[in-house]
Amino acid sequence: MKKRMLTSAVAMLTAASMLAACGATGSESAAETESDTSSAATEEATGEEAAATGEFEPMTIAYATNATDEVFATMKDAFDNVIGPALNIEFTYSEPLSDTGALTTFIENSYAAGADAVITNLSSSIDQAAGVCEDLGLYFVGISSSDAVENADLPHYLSVAGASAEGYGESYASVIKDVIGDDGEEHGILILSGAAAYGATSFIEGTAGSLRALEEVYGLTYTEDIDTLATTATQIDAENDKGIKITIFPGMADLATNVSPLLQTGEYDVVVGTTNIYDSLGVAVNEVEEALDMDIKFITRATFNDAISAAFNGTDSQGSPVIDGMVCNGTYENVSAVIMLRNAFDGNVDNMRDSDGTCSRVPGMIPLAISSVEDYNTLSSADIPYSFVTTEDILSLCGADVTWQDIDEFGASLTTENIVAKFSA
Amino acid sequence: MPNKGEVVLEVKDMCKYFGVTVALDHVNFTLKSGEVRGLIGENGSGKSTVSSIAAGMQKASSGEMFYLGKPWAPSTALEAQKEGICMIVQEAGTIPSIPVADNIFLGHEDLFSFGPFVNHPKMVAAAQALLDELGIGIDASVVTGRLDLQQCKLIEIAKAMYWKPKILVVDETTTALSQTGRELLYKLMRRLADEGGSVMFISHDLDEMMTQCDAVTVLRDGHIIGSLNKDEFDGDVMKKMMVGREVKGDYYRSDMDPYGEEVVLKADCITTRRDLLCFDLELHKGEILGIGGLSECGMHTVGKALFGYEKILDGRVTVGPQHTVVKDVETAIKNGMAYTSKDRDHESVGLPGSIRDNIASTGYIKNLLVGPIISFKKEKAYVEKEITDLSLKCASQYHSVNTLSGGNKQKVVFGKWIGGDADILILDCPTRGIDIGVKASMYQLIYKMKKEGRSIVLISEELPELIGMSDRILIMKDGQVTHEAMRADHPTEHDLIEYMI
Amino acid sequence: MQSTLLKVKESRWTSRLLSPIILVLLILVFAIATGGRFSNPRNLKMILEQALVVGTVATGAVFIFATGNVNISMGATTALVTTIAAKAYMATESVPVMFLVALVAGVIIMGLTALLSTWLDVRVLYVTVVMMTLLSSIQMSILGSANIQLPYDMTSGMGDANVPLILFIVFFIIATVLFHFTALGRKLRYIGINDVCAELTGFKRSRYLLIAFLVAGVGVGFGALSTIVRNGTITTDTCSTLNMDCMLAIVLGGMSCFGGSRSNTYSAIVGAVMVTVLNNGLLMLGVSNTILQAVRGVVFIILVCASQTRPQGLPSRDG
Amino acid sequence: MKQQNKAVKLLKSVVATVALPLAVWAIMEVIAVVFTGSHVISSNLDVRNLIRSAGISAAIAFALSMNITSGRMDLSLGSQRVAATILGGVVAEALGLGGVWVLIFALVFGTVLGAVVGVLYVTLRIPPMVLGIGMACIYECFGFAATDGVGLRLVGTEGVDLLSNMNFTIVVVLIILVAMLILMTYTKFSYKFRAVRGSQQIARNSGINIFVNVALCYLVAGLVVSASGVLDAAFAGSMAASMGLTSNGSVMQNMFPMMIGCNFLSKYVNQSVGIVSAAVAVRIMTMGLNCFNMSEAMSNSINMFLFIAYLVWQSNAWKLDRMRADKKRIAEAKAFKAARAAA
């Protein structure tokens, strides 16, 4: 009996200490953000926005994310420290969700914890989530590259934001044209279609866009349908009348191990990724370049960070940039979602929804296509606000007379050229 | 080593109880150096208990020991081994998955280590040297699992001998050995004794005892009956001393009731993977058929084979008037058979389960309410009835069987099968580890079942029990029936033990 | 005092009711701590709904766990069945067909898993480790490049009609009757208590294990239907955490993962609800989502320790 | 004579070691050449890649074998791997140390995390699988909270180039393998480990402290698995922080080589060598399957089918022996019967 008590005591102690340790990490970061928030808030309050902040009722937005990668971390940082204080919004975030059931649970629990509105970027589950939010009376914006399938009759379902799938296609096409279009040589091209085989729209469009760009560059015709090629579940050669070697390789897991043998054949000198392949393939590509003594052009989807900066600015073993081109995820969708929810919460629901009684569609900004170091460095410089949108811009988009079209238009104006012009001044 | 003839171990007034069972009752015993001392007695007479207490395997309930003149109370076998008392037990003491040398030096890797590493070649060489020296022809580097039982036993002997023990306890080890193995062991025992050590030798083989031992001590029911020196050795005298267990009160049946003619269970020349080769048996209605012998004679396999639990390779077991072939346990049970195993805790009763879980397990069909739905009330009454009938001591039927004493556990097993209306009961050592009082009620119960017309196969290691209860007794040796005795002939233990050993 | 305590400890109700009591206490604590927000009926209903899929599948799994065997592929099986049923619906647009397909597929897949073990003598744990990967690979192949988007009208209609709740209740009643009111459950439990003894009492392990898997298969079928209703979209990630959630729920609900006499059908739902209560309640109290899981783990370990007697040696049976 | 014996023995074990990988390679090569015209291994880089990936896989298999072979299924191993790698990276970064320090810190964390599970196991004595689930819940949180869910990225991070250098990786892998080989063959720990695995009871009676030994098993498992985590992260560029008890997937995949190594090859060679050999064989098989251009799901399915086939074979092979013995016994019985009838 004594022994058992002792054991239980040990169990409790360990458990408690663990919890404390874990809790410490969590609360520490929470504390950090809190202090940041408050300091930011003080700044705001003393600054020019004091009046504006006062105008907004406090609201809470729950953000359900499908991944907690760097893109998310950057966004979270901006939301918590800049946009949140400016619009008097508090944010809560989910752990990475993959399953619609888990998403529903998160929304329900957030509602219970007092959230007023929900954003999710789980593109496959937007309609379900909208339904749940409607039942709970939460304003909702979904982030997706595809259109909402059904959006009638849900008054809390404001909008689907996010660069359209075609946008991704265009951006890829433009980067590919920039990187290989001008030299007129024949290349072996490997396209990593990522989750396209599992139906992720932006991946499908990225792959299809790349294929279309190649069609244009080489003036070729594929023997098979582009969509079929883009959604392939097995590695496939996109056969064409010009005999250009184009291979599509699907899958997300173990990329380095699986793709490395392909690259070693030496048949490919251009690698196009519809996901962030620099993180997962950078090492493998470098190894192959060294081993075969050849230059492989590297096009990836990425966001701005130190590693990508280094890669863009650095050179590989063959003396060319490590990354030759990138497609940058649009981040304006997140900002626009917050703005729309703020407006709806302030009573301007109708302006945020389509006039025909369905939810609006805000493609916003087109994903940025970057193929030069200069562009990259301008766009990624430290003093540029999140998503290239300043606090004034955001405040100007909040108000009773703003419609979703205004928000959309603002996003559409955020092209590489405009941004460079705006911030290099 | 102590001088020859000096007392090395003295046991004073030692008692050992297992629950209510008395295993040792105020035993006094001395062991001198340079002697091979035999311990004989029937199963459960206390010979293994006393030696295992000396070797630190278990602790005495009361009494004291002196080893080399100092008080001796080892807490573990390891401690005893370090001080020079080693025991070789009946059960397997080697680990099959590791090499022979590793087994010999198990727990003593330090002997061959430099830093954290073990010099394996050196260990193997040492082991090989030891084996060679002892004359055991085994390669020390092979994996133990590839060796047979005899070789494993020899390895255990070598393991014990390495420590040059002052006292070596050999507990029924010879049954696993062939003639050559035995001779090797005898030689080692003799050598140890000559060098001034002593040996406690336990065996059922009287011839072996008489040729190998310097003196023999006879135990019965936890008492020392007497000791014989080499010049006094006489097989008949020894047997007489071993048997004749005290029977307190008259708790066996005293009647001479006959049994029916009808054969209810028949084993027709059955052969199992081990033990049984062309074994025949007939059980009649209302008969109590006793099967006796030494533990390894194959009688426990008979019980399992009859019940369909041991695979029968050749021949068949048939049951009932239709001569249904018992091909598995299910058929056996369907035909009203029941089986209680010698290994009760593992095979006959679910220890973590409640009394109700266990007893009700055979009565689901009887306790139905409508269709397949079980009536809780009926079930409760069903269990309650068995508990009262067997006067099972428990707080409630929801109690876990774990908490019960051996006797009450056995009652649970009985209750389970009696409640299920079994007509043919195969009882393997039903009174093993049960105190006298409960034993008596068990015997009454068995008799009552006979009177009710049930047939019983009573497999037992205790001769008085067989003689007291059976209508007919089969004595087995090496998988064969060596003798058949009828109740009417009033067999004595002395008659029967001849055929066992 | 001491004797009363001992009595309480010894009582068969203590071990049975420990988990439900802790659940009730948790609810009370949260209700007080959140000033009643937690305990408003709508929230409670939501918590229950969140637990239904895990509850349904785990209730089926109780049959397997009762025999002392552990199946860690419940989630993968459910995911595959969900996919098959959703495909069937898309092909026929008939809800009854979907129901039928889900049940049949669940029973068949679980049956095959059981046969591998009972027929070919591979340990259940190993079979299910392999099945976990194999079934999800098959699901991936079936799903191909497209997520299955089920019509919103159908799923929301069924959701509004509380179909998952009804499915759970129906299955729970069936399971409880089978498990507690017929010989089947008792036999399964007896196998979990001591399989050799059960074999010697005439309960063939291989047969009853198969039956247990088949019943669990029905649970998987029902769970798959609930998943369809709740999720609406079937992706390769559907039910990805269910493998472990099932085990978590059953053990939290007060069952030993080695089965035996402490097996109850309600363990599954009690455990599942306990997880959702913890999530919901702690979130309401402002605990970050990140730590929730750790809290769950700690509570889990403490509960297991509290409900078992510490053995002398080291436990290891079946892993 | 003895010398020669030794040589023969050595030769035998070398043959046993390379037989399986070679056989698998030969089969895959023939299939690949016949059906696709490509080779399983076509370049120097392929060989080095094979060494690296098989090494990582073998390291995980080693970690698994520490506990599974003794009947303890540790479901927290995957979370230990993730948490140790991420924590190691974070701490190294915070201290401004890069490169090899990431590995060193990860090893330290792996050791600690493994040891905690081990100590809890021997003190609480709850079933290993249950403890594993609970600890996985907690450890996954560690990894997640340390980086706010982002996970550890090594590619492009300043100062960690060394980690992703293939030669370095191969050296580390070899060190691990050799260290494990020595640890699990020649040390006192390994002797006790094998004894405890064989029989808790006998080991305990022989004076071995089984609790310490088992706790050490967990510790070693944590250490090795964290090394595999860092190397994996270095090659794949990053290590994601997974939640929802999904971290164990990558570890479970290595059950196959572990089972072959521990249950089959160990009959012929040293178990540690067997695990490495099995890991290489399985890796070659995967490489061979890759030649066929099949989807991930498909090759996974094939892998698992083979695994099941192996399990079935493993648990039924002894029945053949028994059948043979049974036949002999039946003949014996028949002979006995005939003799009895004659008498």
Side-chain angles (χ1 to χ4, degrees), chain A residues 2 10 13 23 56 67 73 87-88 126 161 189 245 272 323 330 332 344:
Chain A
K2 225 178 190 175
V10 170
L13 213 70
F56 294 112
L87 298 179
N88 202 9
I126 285 180
I189 296 144
K245 175 94 177 163
V272 180
I323 294 181
Y332 180 69

Side-chain angles (χ1 to χ4, degrees), chain A residues 303-372:
Chain A
T303 180
F304 304 109
N305 64 42
D306 298 344
I308 301 281
S309 294
F312 239 107
N313 288 296
T315 53
D316 58 21
S317 58
Q318 306 303 313
S320 67
V322 180
I323 294 181
D324 301 88
M326 73 177 242
V327 172
C328 181
N329 302 36
T331 42
Y332 180 69
E333 55 216 32
N334 294 319
V335 179
S336 64
V338 173
I339 296 171
M340 283 190 279
L341 290 174
R342 177 79 254 178
N343 285 335
F345 188 73
D346 293 343
N348 309 318
V349 184
D350 293 338
N351 286 349
M352 294 300 117
R353 286 170 55 81
D354 209 357
S355 48
D356 62 359
T358 62
C359 74
S360 56
R361 175 82 183 89
V362 181
M365 114 198 225
I366 298 171
L368 300 176
I370 305 169
S371 50
S372 76

Side-chain angles (χ1 to χ4, degrees), chain D residues 202-213:
Chain D
I202 295 176
R204 213 172 171 181
N205 283 343
S206 307
I208 293 171
N209 189 334
I210 56 170
F211 301 111
V212 169
N213 192 266

Side-chain angles (χ1 to χ4, degrees), chain B residues 330 346 358 374 379 416, chain C residues 181 186 190 194 201 207:
Chain B
E330 256 188 321
H346 291 112
N358 277 289
I374 287 178
E379 192 172 57
K416 170 173 144 183
Chain C
F181 294 86
R186 284 168 167 69
Y190 206 62
N194 182 340
T201 315
R207 178 187 311 151

Side-chain angles (χ1 to χ4, degrees), chain B residues 307 309 328-330 333 346-350 352-353 357-358 361 364 373-374 376 379 398-399 416-417, chain C residues 10 12 16 177 180-183 186-187 189-190 193-194 196-204 207-208 261:
Chain B
F307 196 56
Y309 189 57
D328 55 14
V329 174
E330 256 188 321
I333 291 172
H346 291 112
E347 297 183 347
S348 284
V349 73
D357 285 339
N358 277 289
S361 65
Y364 299 140
I373 306 293
I374 287 178
F376 281 55
E379 192 172 57
Y398 303 106
H399 251 68
K416 170 173 144 183
W417 288 115
Chain C
E10 294 274 299
R12 71 198 161 110
R16 283 200 195 175
V177 168
H180 292 285
F181 294 86
T182 71
R186 284 168 167 69
K187 288 178 179 175
R189 245 185 305 179
Y190 206 62
I193 291 170
N194 182 340
V196 179
C197 175
E199 192 89 38
L200 280 170
T201 315
F203 309 153
K204 238 184 180 154
R207 178 187 311 151
Y208 285 99
S261 51

